[in-house]
mmCIF file of all heavy atoms in Angstrom:
data_model
loop_
_atom_site.group_PDB
_atom_site.id
_atom_site.type_symbol
_atom_site.label_atom_id
_atom_site.label_comp_id
_atom_site.label_asym_id
_atom_site.label_seq_id
_atom_site.Cartn_x
_atom_site.Cartn_y
_atom_site.Cartn_z
ATOM 1 N N THR A 26 122.992 119.465 119.032
ATOM 2 C CA THR A 26 122.595 118.986 117.702
ATOM 3 C C THR A 26 123.513 117.850 117.258
ATOM 4 O O THR A 26 123.044 116.838 116.729
ATOM 5 C CB THR A 26 122.662 120.143 116.680
ATOM 6 O OG1 THR A 26 121.880 121.226 117.159
ATOM 7 C CG2 THR A 26 122.186 119.712 115.319
ATOM 8 N N ALA A 27 124.831 118.007 117.463
ATOM 9 C CA ALA A 27 125.785 116.970 117.089
ATOM 10 C C ALA A 27 125.566 115.708 117.913
ATOM 11 O O ALA A 27 125.633 114.596 117.391
ATOM 12 C CB ALA A 27 127.216 117.476 117.264
ATOM 13 N N LYS A 28 125.297 115.865 119.205
ATOM 14 C CA LYS A 28 125.038 114.703 120.067
ATOM 15 C C LYS A 28 123.806 113.949 119.601
ATOM 16 O O LYS A 28 123.809 112.714 119.518
ATOM 17 C CB LYS A 28 124.869 115.154 121.520
ATOM 18 C CG LYS A 28 126.150 115.664 122.150
ATOM 19 C CD LYS A 28 125.891 116.178 123.563
ATOM 20 C CE LYS A 28 127.131 116.796 124.171
ATOM 21 N NZ LYS A 28 126.895 117.352 125.496
ATOM 22 N N ALA A 29 122.735 114.684 119.259
ATOM 23 C CA ALA A 29 121.501 114.053 118.802
ATOM 24 C C ALA A 29 121.713 113.373 117.440
ATOM 25 O O ALA A 29 121.211 112.261 117.215
ATOM 26 C CB ALA A 29 120.392 115.103 118.714
ATOM 27 N N ALA A 30 122.463 114.009 116.539
ATOM 28 C CA ALA A 30 122.705 113.428 115.213
ATOM 29 C C ALA A 30 123.520 112.137 115.332
ATOM 30 O O ALA A 30 123.251 111.154 114.625
ATOM 31 C CB ALA A 30 123.437 114.431 114.324
ATOM 32 N N TYR A 31 124.497 112.115 116.233
ATOM 33 C CA TYR A 31 125.301 110.904 116.431
ATOM 34 C C TYR A 31 124.433 109.781 117.004
ATOM 35 O O TYR A 31 124.527 108.642 116.572
ATOM 36 C CB TYR A 31 126.489 111.190 117.359
ATOM 37 C CG TYR A 31 127.408 110.010 117.545
ATOM 38 C CD1 TYR A 31 128.312 109.662 116.557
ATOM 39 C CD2 TYR A 31 127.370 109.243 118.708
ATOM 40 C CE1 TYR A 31 129.162 108.589 116.712
ATOM 41 C CE2 TYR A 31 128.210 108.158 118.870
ATOM 42 C CZ TYR A 31 129.118 107.830 117.871
ATOM 43 O OH TYR A 31 129.952 106.756 118.019
ATOM 44 N N LYS A 32 123.593 110.130 117.954
ATOM 45 C CA LYS A 32 122.694 109.139 118.563
ATOM 46 C C LYS A 32 121.758 108.568 117.498
ATOM 47 O O LYS A 32 121.526 107.351 117.461
ATOM 48 C CB LYS A 32 121.900 109.795 119.699
ATOM 49 C CG LYS A 32 121.004 108.875 120.464
ATOM 50 C CD LYS A 32 121.738 108.382 121.656
ATOM 51 C CE LYS A 32 120.773 107.647 122.567
ATOM 52 N NZ LYS A 32 121.477 107.025 123.651
ATOM 53 N N ASP A 33 121.218 109.427 116.610
ATOM 54 C CA ASP A 33 120.341 108.957 115.531
ATOM 55 C C ASP A 33 121.093 108.049 114.563
ATOM 56 O O ASP A 33 120.548 107.048 114.102
ATOM 57 C CB ASP A 33 119.768 110.146 114.748
ATOM 58 C CG ASP A 33 118.730 110.926 115.539
ATOM 59 O OD1 ASP A 33 118.219 110.396 116.555
ATOM 60 O OD2 ASP A 33 118.439 112.067 115.131
ATOM 61 N N ALA A 34 122.339 108.388 114.243
ATOM 62 C CA ALA A 34 123.102 107.636 113.251
ATOM 63 C C ALA A 34 123.612 106.304 113.785
ATOM 64 O O ALA A 34 123.646 105.314 113.059
ATOM 65 C CB ALA A 34 124.272 108.468 112.750
ATOM 66 N N THR A 35 124.018 106.260 115.072
ATOM 67 C CA THR A 35 124.670 105.055 115.600
ATOM 68 C C THR A 35 123.911 104.376 116.726
ATOM 69 O O THR A 35 124.180 103.222 117.036
ATOM 70 C CB THR A 35 126.075 105.399 116.131
ATOM 71 O OG1 THR A 35 125.948 106.281 117.244
ATOM 72 C CG2 THR A 35 126.939 106.022 115.059
ATOM 73 N N GLY A 36 123.007 105.097 117.376
ATOM 74 C CA GLY A 36 122.306 104.540 118.522
ATOM 75 C C GLY A 36 123.123 104.610 119.804
ATOM 76 O O GLY A 36 122.701 104.095 120.837
ATOM 77 N N GLU A 37 124.283 105.235 119.767
ATOM 78 C CA GLU A 37 125.161 105.345 120.941
ATOM 79 C C GLU A 37 125.338 106.813 121.315
ATOM 80 O O GLU A 37 125.051 107.711 120.535
ATOM 81 C CB GLU A 37 126.528 104.741 120.630
ATOM 82 C CG GLU A 37 126.475 103.272 120.276
ATOM 83 C CD GLU A 37 127.839 102.745 119.861
ATOM 84 O OE1 GLU A 37 128.841 103.491 119.973
ATOM 85 O OE2 GLU A 37 127.905 101.594 119.429
ATOM 86 N N ASP A 38 125.852 107.031 122.551
ATOM 87 C CA ASP A 38 126.159 108.389 122.984
ATOM 88 C C ASP A 38 127.479 108.835 122.359
ATOM 89 O O ASP A 38 128.388 108.030 122.154
ATOM 90 C CB ASP A 38 126.275 108.462 124.512
ATOM 91 C CG ASP A 38 124.922 108.296 125.196
ATOM 92 O OD1 ASP A 38 123.900 108.642 124.567
ATOM 93 O OD2 ASP A 38 124.895 107.833 126.350
ATOM 94 N N LEU A 39 127.578 110.118 122.081
ATOM 95 C CA LEU A 39 128.778 110.700 121.499
ATOM 96 C C LEU A 39 129.930 110.620 122.501
ATOM 97 O O LEU A 39 129.774 111.002 123.662
ATOM 98 C CB LEU A 39 128.503 112.165 121.132
ATOM 99 C CG LEU A 39 129.569 112.917 120.377
ATOM 100 C CD1 LEU A 39 129.805 112.297 119.007
ATOM 101 C CD2 LEU A 39 129.152 114.369 120.208
ATOM 102 N N PRO A 40 131.111 110.103 122.090
ATOM 103 C CA PRO A 40 132.255 110.042 123.007
ATOM 104 C C PRO A 40 132.678 111.445 123.457
ATOM 105 O O PRO A 40 132.514 112.418 122.723
ATOM 106 C CB PRO A 40 133.364 109.404 122.168
ATOM 107 C CG PRO A 40 132.685 108.755 121.014
ATOM 108 C CD PRO A 40 131.423 109.510 120.785
ATOM 109 N N ALA A 41 133.234 111.514 124.661
ATOM 110 C CA ALA A 41 133.706 112.797 125.186
ATOM 111 C C ALA A 41 134.810 113.343 124.292
ATOM 112 O O ALA A 41 135.568 112.594 123.673
ATOM 113 C CB ALA A 41 134.227 112.618 126.609
ATOM 114 N N ASP A 42 134.924 114.664 124.199
ATOM 115 C CA ASP A 42 135.946 115.353 123.421
ATOM 116 C C ASP A 42 135.842 115.102 121.916
ATOM 117 O O ASP A 42 136.828 115.225 121.190
ATOM 118 C CB ASP A 42 137.362 115.003 123.899
ATOM 119 C CG ASP A 42 137.585 115.401 125.339
ATOM 120 O OD1 ASP A 42 136.969 116.379 125.780
ATOM 121 O OD2 ASP A 42 138.383 114.723 126.012
ATOM 122 N N HIS A 43 134.660 114.703 121.441
ATOM 123 C CA HIS A 43 134.439 114.484 120.014
ATOM 124 C C HIS A 43 133.157 115.191 119.595
ATOM 125 O O HIS A 43 132.307 115.508 120.413
ATOM 126 C CB HIS A 43 134.299 112.990 119.694
ATOM 127 C CG HIS A 43 135.594 112.265 119.712
ATOM 128 N ND1 HIS A 43 136.225 111.893 120.877
ATOM 129 C CD2 HIS A 43 136.394 111.850 118.705
ATOM 130 C CE1 HIS A 43 137.344 111.271 120.590
ATOM 131 N NE2 HIS A 43 137.475 111.228 119.270
ATOM 132 N N THR A 44 133.047 115.422 118.299
ATOM 133 C CA THR A 44 131.803 115.918 117.726
ATOM 134 C C THR A 44 131.488 115.069 116.511
ATOM 135 O O THR A 44 132.332 114.310 116.031
ATOM 136 C CB THR A 44 131.878 117.416 117.356
ATOM 137 O OG1 THR A 44 130.562 117.876 117.021
ATOM 138 C CG2 THR A 44 132.818 117.671 116.203
ATOM 139 N N TRP A 45 130.281 115.166 116.026
ATOM 140 C CA TRP A 45 129.838 114.380 114.892
ATOM 141 C C TRP A 45 129.693 115.293 113.687
ATOM 142 O O TRP A 45 129.021 116.312 113.749
ATOM 143 C CB TRP A 45 128.503 113.717 115.218
ATOM 144 C CG TRP A 45 127.932 112.870 114.130
ATOM 145 C CD1 TRP A 45 126.786 113.096 113.448
ATOM 146 C CD2 TRP A 45 128.444 111.635 113.632
ATOM 147 N NE1 TRP A 45 126.568 112.102 112.547
ATOM 148 C CE2 TRP A 45 127.568 111.182 112.637
ATOM 149 C CE3 TRP A 45 129.571 110.883 113.914
ATOM 150 C CZ2 TRP A 45 127.775 110.004 111.931
ATOM 151 C CZ3 TRP A 45 129.775 109.709 113.216
ATOM 152 C CH2 TRP A 45 128.890 109.277 112.238
ATOM 153 N N ARG A 46 130.368 114.953 112.608
ATOM 154 C CA ARG A 46 130.274 115.728 111.376
ATOM 155 C C ARG A 46 129.385 114.975 110.404
ATOM 156 O O ARG A 46 129.631 113.813 110.102
ATOM 157 C CB ARG A 46 131.661 115.927 110.750
ATOM 158 C CG ARG A 46 132.687 116.611 111.638
ATOM 159 C CD ARG A 46 132.338 118.040 111.976
ATOM 160 N NE ARG A 46 132.190 118.909 110.839
ATOM 161 C CZ ARG A 46 133.124 119.712 110.369
ATOM 162 N NH1 ARG A 46 134.291 119.772 110.959
ATOM 163 N NH2 ARG A 46 132.891 120.469 109.326
ATOM 164 N N ARG A 47 128.359 115.623 109.931
ATOM 165 C CA ARG A 47 127.454 114.998 108.959
ATOM 166 C C ARG A 47 128.105 114.960 107.582
ATOM 167 O O ARG A 47 129.061 115.676 107.314
ATOM 168 C CB ARG A 47 126.146 115.778 108.893
ATOM 169 C CG ARG A 47 125.365 115.664 110.169
ATOM 170 C CD ARG A 47 124.044 116.343 110.025
ATOM 171 N NE ARG A 47 123.304 116.204 111.273
ATOM 172 C CZ ARG A 47 122.076 116.614 111.420
ATOM 173 N NH1 ARG A 47 121.431 117.197 110.438
ATOM 174 N NH2 ARG A 47 121.471 116.453 112.571
ATOM 175 N N ARG A 48 127.532 114.150 106.695
ATOM 176 C CA ARG A 48 128.004 114.068 105.316
ATOM 177 C C ARG A 48 127.856 115.439 104.676
ATOM 178 O O ARG A 48 126.859 116.135 104.888
ATOM 179 C CB ARG A 48 127.179 113.044 104.550
ATOM 180 C CG ARG A 48 127.694 112.744 103.167
ATOM 181 C CD ARG A 48 126.876 111.651 102.531
ATOM 182 N NE ARG A 48 125.565 112.150 102.165
ATOM 183 C CZ ARG A 48 125.217 112.511 100.936
ATOM 184 N NH1 ARG A 48 126.072 112.386 99.959
ATOM 185 N NH2 ARG A 48 124.028 112.977 100.687
ATOM 186 N N SER A 49 128.875 115.846 103.907
ATOM 187 C CA SER A 49 128.832 117.157 103.278
ATOM 188 C C SER A 49 129.636 117.143 101.989
ATOM 189 O O SER A 49 130.295 116.161 101.668
ATOM 190 C CB SER A 49 129.392 118.221 104.224
ATOM 191 O OG SER A 49 130.744 117.932 104.514
ATOM 192 N N SER A 50 129.562 118.234 101.257
ATOM 193 C CA SER A 50 130.342 118.420 100.038
ATOM 194 C C SER A 50 131.420 119.450 100.325
ATOM 195 O O SER A 50 131.178 120.433 101.016
ATOM 196 C CB SER A 50 129.457 118.931 98.906
ATOM 197 O OG SER A 50 128.468 117.986 98.620
ATOM 198 N N ARG A 51 132.620 119.220 99.765
ATOM 199 C CA ARG A 51 133.738 120.153 99.946
ATOM 200 C C ARG A 51 134.346 120.473 98.606
ATOM 201 O O ARG A 51 134.253 119.692 97.668
ATOM 202 C CB ARG A 51 134.831 119.523 100.831
ATOM 203 C CG ARG A 51 134.449 119.165 102.236
ATOM 204 C CD ARG A 51 134.271 120.384 103.110
ATOM 205 N NE ARG A 51 135.397 121.279 103.111
ATOM 206 C CZ ARG A 51 136.299 121.361 104.074
ATOM 207 N NH1 ARG A 51 136.211 120.597 105.125
ATOM 208 N NH2 ARG A 51 137.283 122.229 103.985
ATOM 209 N N GLY A 52 135.024 121.614 98.525
ATOM 210 C CA GLY A 52 135.735 121.993 97.321
ATOM 211 C C GLY A 52 134.798 122.545 96.264
ATOM 212 O O GLY A 52 133.614 122.763 96.495
ATOM 213 N N GLY A 53 135.316 122.746 95.081
ATOM 214 C CA GLY A 53 134.526 123.251 93.975
ATOM 215 C C GLY A 53 134.124 124.697 94.176
ATOM 216 O O GLY A 53 134.436 125.336 95.162
ATOM 217 N N SER A 54 133.396 125.218 93.223
ATOM 218 C CA SER A 54 132.909 126.588 93.326
ATOM 219 C C SER A 54 131.687 126.625 94.223
ATOM 220 O O SER A 54 131.033 125.611 94.468
ATOM 221 C CB SER A 54 132.549 127.124 91.944
ATOM 222 O OG SER A 54 131.437 126.418 91.440
ATOM 223 N N SER A 55 131.330 127.793 94.712
ATOM 224 C CA SER A 55 130.144 127.908 95.571
ATOM 225 C C SER A 55 128.888 127.544 94.797
ATOM 226 O O SER A 55 127.941 127.003 95.351
ATOM 227 C CB SER A 55 130.042 129.317 96.148
ATOM 228 O OG SER A 55 129.956 130.262 95.102
ATOM 229 N N GLU A 56 128.863 127.797 93.474
ATOM 230 C CA GLU A 56 127.703 127.433 92.662
ATOM 231 C C GLU A 56 127.542 125.914 92.604
ATOM 232 O O GLU A 56 126.432 125.401 92.703
ATOM 233 C CB GLU A 56 127.867 127.994 91.249
ATOM 234 C CG GLU A 56 127.859 129.502 91.203
ATOM 235 C CD GLU A 56 128.312 130.031 89.855
ATOM 236 O OE1 GLU A 56 128.556 129.223 88.930
ATOM 237 O OE2 GLU A 56 128.425 131.255 89.728
ATOM 238 N N ALA A 57 128.660 125.183 92.457
ATOM 239 C CA ALA A 57 128.598 123.723 92.392
ATOM 240 C C ALA A 57 128.123 123.155 93.715
ATOM 241 O O ALA A 57 127.318 122.222 93.744
ATOM 242 C CB ALA A 57 129.954 123.144 92.025
ATOM 243 N N ARG A 58 128.595 123.698 94.840
ATOM 244 C CA ARG A 58 128.155 123.201 96.151
ATOM 245 C C ARG A 58 126.667 123.450 96.341
ATOM 246 O O ARG A 58 125.961 122.605 96.853
ATOM 247 C CB ARG A 58 128.949 123.874 97.271
ATOM 248 C CG ARG A 58 130.340 123.323 97.435
ATOM 249 C CD ARG A 58 130.953 123.760 98.754
ATOM 250 N NE ARG A 58 130.946 125.177 98.953
ATOM 251 C CZ ARG A 58 131.884 126.025 98.522
ATOM 252 N NH1 ARG A 58 132.912 125.570 97.865
ATOM 253 N NH2 ARG A 58 131.807 127.316 98.760
ATOM 254 N N THR A 59 126.158 124.616 95.932
ATOM 255 C CA THR A 59 124.763 124.939 96.093
ATOM 256 C C THR A 59 123.902 123.990 95.297
ATOM 257 O O THR A 59 122.878 123.500 95.785
ATOM 258 C CB THR A 59 124.499 126.401 95.649
ATOM 259 O OG1 THR A 59 125.374 127.255 96.360
ATOM 260 C CG2 THR A 59 123.067 126.803 95.907
ATOM 261 N N SER A 60 124.316 123.656 94.060
ATOM 262 C CA SER A 60 123.507 122.769 93.226
ATOM 263 C C SER A 60 123.495 121.353 93.777
ATOM 264 O O SER A 60 122.488 120.661 93.714
ATOM 265 C CB SER A 60 123.997 122.778 91.778
ATOM 266 O OG SER A 60 125.284 122.227 91.696
ATOM 267 N N VAL A 61 124.603 120.882 94.356
ATOM 268 C CA VAL A 61 124.663 119.526 94.922
ATOM 269 C C VAL A 61 123.819 119.480 96.201
ATOM 270 O O VAL A 61 123.095 118.520 96.431
ATOM 271 C CB VAL A 61 126.122 119.106 95.222
ATOM 272 C CG1 VAL A 61 126.160 117.840 96.031
ATOM 273 C CG2 VAL A 61 126.871 118.931 93.913
ATOM 274 N N GLN A 62 123.912 120.502 97.048
ATOM 275 C CA GLN A 62 123.156 120.493 98.295
ATOM 276 C C GLN A 62 121.653 120.599 98.046
ATOM 277 O O GLN A 62 120.858 120.074 98.787
ATOM 278 C CB GLN A 62 123.615 121.651 99.192
ATOM 279 C CG GLN A 62 125.010 121.439 99.715
ATOM 280 C CD GLN A 62 125.558 122.683 100.410
ATOM 281 O OE1 GLN A 62 124.940 123.743 100.398
ATOM 282 N NE2 GLN A 62 126.729 122.542 101.007
ATOM 283 N N ALA A 63 121.266 121.278 96.958
ATOM 284 C CA ALA A 63 119.849 121.450 96.649
ATOM 285 C C ALA A 63 119.246 120.166 96.112
ATOM 286 O O ALA A 63 118.065 119.910 96.264
ATOM 287 C CB ALA A 63 119.663 122.581 95.638
ATOM 288 N N SER A 64 120.049 119.288 95.486
ATOM 289 C CA SER A 64 119.506 118.058 94.940
ATOM 290 C C SER A 64 119.326 117.023 96.038
ATOM 291 O O SER A 64 120.055 117.006 97.011
ATOM 292 C CB SER A 64 120.441 117.520 93.849
ATOM 293 O OG SER A 64 121.681 117.187 94.415
#
């Protein structure tokens, strides 16, 4: 999944010994994260 997401985002193959992290929200309360992810 990470390899495919990197290929979609950059058009290149994922470098060895790396993974691709998608955009995400961190911190805050679990309620705040749920509301941001739902929007």
Side-chain angles (χ1 to χ4, degrees):
T26 306
K28 291 176 185 177
Y31 183 77
K32 184 94 170 173
D33 289 344
T35 65
E37 299 175 7
D38 289 333
L39 186 63
D42 299 330
H43 284 77
T44 190
W45 180 245
R46 302 295 301 263
R47 293 185 179 185
R48 188 176 72 100
S49 62
S50 298
R51 298 288 307 258
S54 67
S55 59
E56 295 168 4
R58 283 194 306 274
T59 306
S60 66
V61 169
Q62 291 170 353
S64 64

